[in-house]
Amino acid sequence: MSRRVGRRLVGRVVGCGRGQPVSALSALSALGAAMCAVAVPVVVVALPGIATAQDPAPYVFAQGAKTVQGAVTSTDAVELKAGGTYRSSIEAGVKGTGLGSGPGANGAAGTRYYRVDLDGSSDTYVSAVAVPKAGADVKVAFNDSISVTLQDRQGNRCDSEVAAFRSAEYPRPIAATAERVVREGGGRCQDAGTYYVVVARKTAPDSTRERWDLELSVSSEPALKSPPATIGPGAWSSASPRPPAGIPSERRGGTGFNDAQSLRQGVWKDRIRPGQTLFYRVPLDWGQQLFTEAELGTSAGDAQREGFVPSALSVALYNPARTPVTSKDASYGGEPSVAALDSLPPVAYENRYLSRADEAGVRFAGWYYLKVSLTPEMKGTFGNKESGLTLRLTVHGDAASAPAYVRDPGAFQVTDADRAAAESGSAQGGGSSLPSAGGQGGGLGGGQAGQGGSGRTNRMTVVGIAGIGTGSVLVLGLGLWTYVARRRAPAGW
């Protein structure tokens, strides 16, 4: 398994050579040697989970997520519990086939099996987030993908979804979700019992074949007290309101779903580097619509470079079950560029019966996630530098009454804690937090950021440690200088 949360040097000391002479007759030499001797251990001692400022921060997995091994056969599939979040991994298959040839794999190293036990009334969503290793030496292709399939014990497919990199061919987290929806006259996959989750990875022949990390989650939406309508809602307004204006406030995006930065309606700014992906989340209640614009800012001199980068900025929206809803790309040619997500209907339970996947995706209240990525191709044309990012979010409509669930819906609701988190910008808490390694409840809660926190937090930790080390060196140096001076001073000084 490739771990990007590792140990690395967080700094270096310039001008401290080995074997530098230290003379007892020179206070300056003694001080310099002391600083070299002490400073080197301080700055080269790395902490787990800390990345350097120029590296993309590693994806933050759910705190306490249990690590499980996917099986190569359904017989050996490990159980995933509703309300749980898990860590796993998946290998690439044989070049050009998507299949594998590892020992005992029977030609299926690119496929892994897991098991879920479902009741006969709840809707269930199984999500897989694929996390390839980041870096300029990692290559992914247009059709490289992760897929999630939910099937019953007879092999009947309940649902399947594929997430691919498409035109934005660079490594970043991608997510897909398969669902089991219980409805009257639904046919297959309606009964309680054992079901299998099949996660498959497709890899092009020239793509990097290193193992991908996986984050798997199972969320359960309870049934309604009364049978729901099985047709979608009527007409709704698709007109986009005027985007909010004013001075943007700064909030730093997270590395994934678990440390996504909380936002409310308004104008927000951030910085994004080529190859970086940032996550944000917005609470959306029943009856509300979300309108999103992401603007990539320009820098001095960009307009004179005469360059053009297609699909430079990519914006994707995910619902509380981590199901992809919609996405939009924007090119960059040296002037500000905007990616605006298409209009979606107000959040309603009945949306799940709509034929369009994007409209069906806004089927429940809760945290909706925005994933914003900047292509590494920006480096070659406009330089390896941060660009300004502005998010303009409009939450349209008043919160409506929630449908009558038979029990607490867990993550599929907006609580007072969620609204407070969006107001303050917290990347923790909110919603109905559930056990990370599987427990009873509705589904994915806000939870706490996992190990490592945000990249900005880690870098500040490094600065604090470096500050403590530097202070210790100065105190030691001053003491040594005083000692040498007193030895050289005449008696009675």
Side-chain angles (χ1 to χ4, degrees):
M1 183 186 305
S2 172
R3 292 183 180 271
R4 289 176 291 119
V5 181
R7 292 176 170 80
R8 63 179 74 217
L9 297 182
V10 297
R12 60 191 180 95
V13 176
V14 178
C16 293
R18 291 187 179 181
Q20 184 173 359
V22 178
S23 171
L25 300 178
S26 172
L28 181 59
S29 297
L31 177 57
M35 291 186 69
C36 289
V38 178
V40 170
V42 170
V43 295
V44 300
V45 173
L47 296 181
I50 295 181
T52 60
Q54 65 269 25
D55 292 336
Y59 182 92
V60 172
F61 288 86
Q63 187 179 38
K66 180 180 179 181
T67 298
V68 296
Q69 181 66 46
V72 296
T73 67
S74 60
T75 304
D76 299 321
V78 65
E79 181 183 8
L80 307 179
K81 293 183 179 294
T85 304
Y86 301 83
R87 289 191 65 166
S88 191
S89 62
I90 191 167
E91 298 173 348
V94 172
K95 289 189 176 182
T97 67
L99 300 177
S101 58
N106 297 324
T111 301
R112 289 292 178 264
Y113 287 86
Y114 307 87
R115 174 172 56 87
V116 291
D117 292 330
L118 307 182
D119 61 28
S121 60
S122 302
D123 291 349
T124 302
Y125 305 89
V126 183
S127 170
V129 181
V131 186
K133 180 181 178 182
D137 58 336
V138 180
K139 181 180 179 181
V140 296
F142 183 92
N143 283 325
D144 284 2
S145 63
I146 196 76
S147 66
V148 184
T149 301
L150 190 62
Q151 62 184 33
D152 63 18
R153 290 186 296 111
Q154 285 73 43
N156 296 314
R157 179 177 296 185
C158 311
D159 186 46
S160 182
E161 185 174 60
V162 179
F165 294 99
R166 301 305 180 191
S167 58
E169 298 178 357
Y170 56 94
R172 62 197 185 280
I174 54 175
T177 302
E179 63 186 49
R180 193 286 299 264
V181 176
V182 178
R183 66 182 71 180
E184 186 176 352
R188 66 179 60 174
C189 301
Q190 301 294 294
D191 297 332
T194 296
Y195 291 78
Y196 295 106
V197 179
V198 186
V199 180
R201 171 184 171 182
K202 182 178 179 182
T203 308
D206 296 332
S207 296
T208 303
R209 314 194 66 75
E210 190 167 352
R211 184 179 300 182
W212 290 355
D213 286 338
L214 294 176
E215 183 169 70
L216 306 171
S217 58
V218 183
S219 50
S220 176
E221 182 187 18
L224 301 184
K225 294 180 179 179
S226 300
T230 55
I231 58 174
W236 52 275
S237 175
S238 60
S240 300
R242 178 175 296 179
I247 300 174
S249 300
E250 183 174 3
R251 287 192 183 174
R252 182 63 175 166
T255 66
F257 291 96
N258 304 295
D259 66 340
Q261 177 63 261
S262 304
L263 302 176
R264 56 170 172 78
Q265 176 173 293
V267 186
W268 311 97
K269 68 177 180 179
D270 203 345
R271 308 290 295 179
I272 188 169
R273 299 188 305 275
Q276 188 175 26
T277 295
L278 300 174
F279 280 76
Y280 309 86
R281 61 178 190 168
V282 184
L284 204 59
D285 216 334
W286 300 100
Q288 294 183 325
Q289 289 174 281
L290 178 63
F291 297 89
T292 302
E293 287 190 0
E295 177 184 320
L296 183 63
T298 187
S299 299
D302 281 1
Q304 285 71 44
R305 297 198 181 205
E306 298 182 353
F308 181 80
V309 180
S311 301
L313 187 70
S314 175
V315 183
L317 178 69
Y318 296 82
N319 69 20
R322 300 184 177 181
T323 305
V325 178
T326 187
S327 62
K328 187 72 69 173
D329 294 342
S331 301
Y332 184 74
E335 301 292 342
S337 182
V338 175
L341 296 182
D342 293 338
S343 299
L344 296 168
V347 174
Y349 186 92
E350 294 79 13
N351 286 345
R352 67 195 64 205
Y353 304 117
L354 294 174
S355 58
R356 285 183 46 172
D358 58 344
E359 296 178 355
V362 286
R363 64 180 64 182
F364 26 56
W367 287 107
Y368 281 73
Y369 297 88
L370 289 167
K371 183 180 75 172
V372 183
S373 303
L374 186 63
T375 176
E377 294 181 13
M378 288 284 289
K379 293 180 183 179
T381 306
F382 297 100
N384 187 14
K385 60 185 179 181
E386 287 188 327
S387 297
L389 174 66
T390 304
L391 298 175
R392 293 181 172 87
L393 306 179
T394 301
V395 178
H396 182 69
D398 297 327
S401 299
Y405 286 109
V406 295
R407 57 177 171 81
D408 187 287
F412 304 120
Q413 61 182 322
V414 175
T415 67
D416 291 339
D418 294 332
R419 298 184 186 92
E423 186 70 29
S424 65
S426 170
Q428 300 183 22
S432 300
S433 298
L434 296 165
S436 297
Q440 301 302 315
L444 300 169
Q448 290 186 345
Q451 189 181 45
S454 70
R456 175 166 297 178
T457 301
N458 284 339
R459 289 193 290 272
M460 293 309 294
T461 302
V462 174
V463 172
I465 294 170
I468 294 171
T470 302
S472 300
V473 170
L474 292 176
V475 170
L476 179 60
L478 181 58
L480 184 58
W481 180 87
T482 303
Y483 169 75
V484 173
R486 286 186 174 181
R487 289 194 61 182
R488 297 183 61 192
W493 179 78

